Amino acid sequence: MGARQNLEHAVEIGGGYDAYNNLATLEFYEGHFGRAAELFERALEIDESDYIVWSNLGEASANALIDDPDRTRHAFLRAAELVSAQLDTAPDDIDLTIF
């Protein structure tokens, strides 16, 4: 069984955050932006604390054939809010400063 099949199976049986996020990332890199956005949203329903997933949702939504400007804007704003909050506590974190 390949990576895609494993991830799809994990999602089918109620896979958690990582299953949704990883399958969304795969869909994104294969150019299936609408599907990627749906899966990123499912991951965020489980854990909405990751600014990278919010940013990925914004990118997927912006690149989808049927773009949802409100979803895109909300995703990018939420990513920025989370990064800003983390920068308050870790201003020297290089990963946050290059975001």
Side-chain angles (χ1 to χ4, degrees):
M1 203 181 264
R4 169 177 285 288
Q5 292 169 322
N6 286 335
L7 290 169
E8 288 174 344
H9 181 66
V11 165
E12 285 174 17
I13 62 172
Y17 175 83
D18 289 332
Y20 286 111
N21 185 35
N22 290 333
L23 184 55
T25 301
L26 179 62
E27 293 286 1
F28 182 90
Y29 283 112
E30 290 184 349
H32 307 134
F33 303 115
R35 177 74 176 136
E38 291 172 14
L39 291 163
F40 284 130
E41 286 180 328
R42 297 286 301 271
L44 289 166
E45 288 172 5
I46 297 168
D47 180 359
E48 62 180 31
S49 67
D50 190 341
Y51 70 89
I52 294 171
V53 179
W54 280 105
S55 179
N56 290 344
L57 171 58
E59 288 291 335
S61 181
N63 285 291
L65 292 177
I66 302 173
D67 184 28
D68 183 344
D70 291 332
R71 176 172 63 180
T72 302
R73 186 180 314 96
H74 173 73
F76 284 132
L77 287 173
R78 186 65 184 134
E81 290 169 356
L82 290 168
V83 167
S84 294
Q86 290 181 22
L87 277 170
D88 288 343
T89 60
D92 297 326
D93 185 331
I94 191 71
D95 292 327
L96 297 174
T97 59
I98 61 172
F99 178 73

